[in-house]
């Protein structure tokens, strides 16, 4: 295969993902894909990609209104609360060094 008639440039293909699903699940996916005018593969890739992005963004991005943002920034800017037991623990020599 070639790109733009260049016989020495191979066409890159994606990697294969094999899945085993019950017939009912496959039929459900096929019905949803059909409603959107997509193939099963297109539907599954689009859906999985969107869900993966959402999962990753949930771990990295959060949105606050102005009041909550101000409270969040104030909490970050505030000096730490004194925690004597934590300070004492941090000053102790680790067990591996005793």
């Amino acid at each position: 295969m070639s790109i733009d008639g260049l016989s020495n440039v191979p066409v890159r293909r994606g990697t294969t993902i094999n899945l085993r699903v019950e017939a009912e699940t496959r039929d459900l996916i096929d019905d949803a894909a059909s409603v959107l005018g997509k193939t099963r593969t297109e539907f599954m890739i689009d859906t999985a990609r969107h869900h993966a992005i959402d999962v990753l963004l949930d771990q990295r991005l959060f949105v606050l209104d102005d009041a909550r943002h101000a409270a969040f920034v104030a909490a970050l800017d505030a000096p730490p609360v004194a925690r004597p037991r934590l300070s004492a623990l941090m000053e102790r020599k680790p067990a591996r060094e005793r």
Side-chain angles (χ1 to χ4, degrees):
M1 297 184 127
S2 67
I3 299 173
D4 298 325
L6 301 174
S7 59
N8 60 345
V9 180
V11 173
R12 283 187 68 118
R13 293 190 142 206
T15 191
T16 300
I17 298 174
N18 294 310
L19 302 170
R20 288 201 185 279
V21 297
E22 294 186 12
E24 291 174 6
T25 301
R26 185 203 56 221
D27 293 344
L28 178 65
I29 291 168
D30 288 348
D31 290 345
S34 177
V35 166
L36 296 177
K38 295 182 178 186
T39 66
R40 179 188 306 147
T41 298
E42 291 169 336
F43 178 80
M44 291 180 70
I45 290 171
D46 288 349
T47 303
R49 186 172 189 282
H50 284 117
H51 188 65
I53 290 169
D54 287 345
V55 167
L56 295 175
L57 286 176
D58 282 346
Q59 301 299 312
R60 299 181 184 154
L61 175 70
F62 57 97
V63 180
L64 302 172
D65 60 31
D66 291 341
R68 289 185 177 171
H69 180 262
F72 177 71
V73 171
L76 290 176
D77 291 341
V81 176
R83 303 208 186 274
R85 289 176 49 199
L86 179 59
S87 295
L89 177 64
M90 297 304 291
E91 291 173 8
R92 281 180 41 193
K93 199 175 243 190
R96 68 180 177 276
E97 295 178 11
R98 287 187 223 157

